[in-house]
Amino acid sequence: MALMTGEQYIESIRKIPMEIYMFGKKVENPVDDPILRPSLNSVRMTYDLAQMPEYQELMTVISPESGERINRFTHIHRSTEDLRNKVKMQRLLGQKTASCFQRCVGMDAFNAEFSTTFEIDKKYGTSYHENFKKFLRYCQDNDLTVDGAMTDTKGDRSKAPHEQADPDLFLHVVERRPDGVVVCGAKAHQTGIINSHEVIVMPTQSMGPDDRDYAISFAVPLNTKGLFMIIGRQSCDTRKREGGEMDVGNPEFGGVEALTVFDHVFVPNDRIFLNGETEFAGLLVERFAGYHRQSYGGCKVGVGDVLIGAAAVAADYNGANKASHVKDKLIEMTHLNETLYCCGIACSAEGYPTESGNYMIDLLLANVCKQNVTRFPYEIVRLAEDIAGGLMVTAPSEADLKDPKLGPVIDKYLRGVNAVSTENRLRILRLIENLSLGTAAVGYRTESMHGAGSPQAQRIMIARQGNLAHKKALAKAIAHITE
Ligand code: SF4
Ligand code: FE
């Protein structure tokens, strides 16, 4: 079964008994929970689109490993064209879901692990690459969704992992057995983990020799004993429990994050991809982060497309669409959004092969991409709010609109252009609210800031990759300076 249908995917997740908590209670049926289901629907779209002939080329690829047609989300990039197609696929999915569709973290972890395990084995004669390739084939053949867990909770930021007052603040090995290791710790902000079959765990930062137990990477299924998740709250999340759809803004799709706890989780030897080779922890982080910073030049652009469209519709609905300042704001939003796309495509086009044969993005350009993503969506949101007007946050509820007494009053007074129903006008404003302040703002606005690393993390990489010495030499040559 190299390609699952969306329905098969949903049923496959239903069969995994996961330990999930929300609002202080265990969630007995996460698949049908109204708060959680929209995020599952977003991942489902990665399966549904792969079944459609018009998207086959973007969404699927022939696996060099198996020769079978597989979902691109389980593919190891073998060319710059693969890298560009990845970004295009993510933009498409952002357009179709207006949310985080979650499956990219696994794809980015696959590609970072592929090259890094190869290089560790070359140096130490370990068998991590073989372990990883076996896991990869399993994911490709079964069309699995895999979460990539990197961000530790980190405790006191001024201290190294082994210096923390509580050793579990970074995930680490607590026991070494002949058949594997036992780990303890937690990973924060895990996007899509409850919608995944497996999770790849990676270290969160570079490690020194004293952090040996913290330099650990592996994969385990989501129903592994000792693994449980606590769902993160989002603005307006309980609106999804009210039963209506207007007030939610995006009734079908969403994204959900969870604090994921590993309480003495056993990892068998053949699922380990790094175990104590501390000097490779930083490389794995840098590569995963690089790929995920490239990803943001696709997914956030797709969601931006929806937001720009929503702002334009809002202007149509209140008759402001001909105003020159509104047209100019839409141009500005488009300019910012396409600039992000340029970055995603550029870092892909400038990709290069690693020793293992897969393709890496240009790291400097990928970090510039993500640095821009920490800024431009905020401006796009600001302009969307400007165009939407205050009604976006003062409009009465769907229940009021449906009320026999209040409904006609709302319909009369909140109408914009006469030909458009008040309901449609409110629907588009709720979508803008959802993307800029509501549940989707987690995946669009705040995730643009902190997802794939906070802004300072990119600035460190830009400083490292920017080659200032070369630029100084250029200036001196032009100025005829000899020293
Ligand atoms: Fe994919 Fe974007 Fe969500 Fe990351 S933030 S998982 S790249 S959709
Ligand atoms: Fe993300």
Side-chain angles (χ1 to χ4, degrees), residues 159-164 167 170 208 210-211 214:
K159 291 187 161 64
H162 70 278
E163 295 170 339
Q164 297 289 330
F170 286 77
D210 293 334
D211 294 324
Y214 297 83

Side-chain angles (χ1 to χ4, degrees), residues 365-377:
L365 298 185
N367 278 277
V368 168
C369 177
K370 174 66 217 310
Q371 182 81 177
N372 284 335
V373 172
T374 66
R375 299 170 180 177
F376 296 177

Side-chain angles (χ1 to χ4, degrees), residues 90 100-102 104-105 292 295-296 299-300 447:
Q90 289 167 313
C100 168
F101 38 89
Q102 309 148 52
C104 329
V105 274
H292 211 54
S295 289
Y296 277 39
C299 77
K300 298 292 176 261
E447 195 175 46

Side-chain angles (χ1 to χ4, degrees), residues 22-23 35 230-239 257 442:
M22 183 167 63
F23 300 124
I35 290 184
I230 309 166
I231 299 293
R233 275 223 82 162
Q234 299 176 338
S235 303
C236 316
D237 48 10
T238 47
R239 285 190 194 180
E257 280 74 24
V442 179

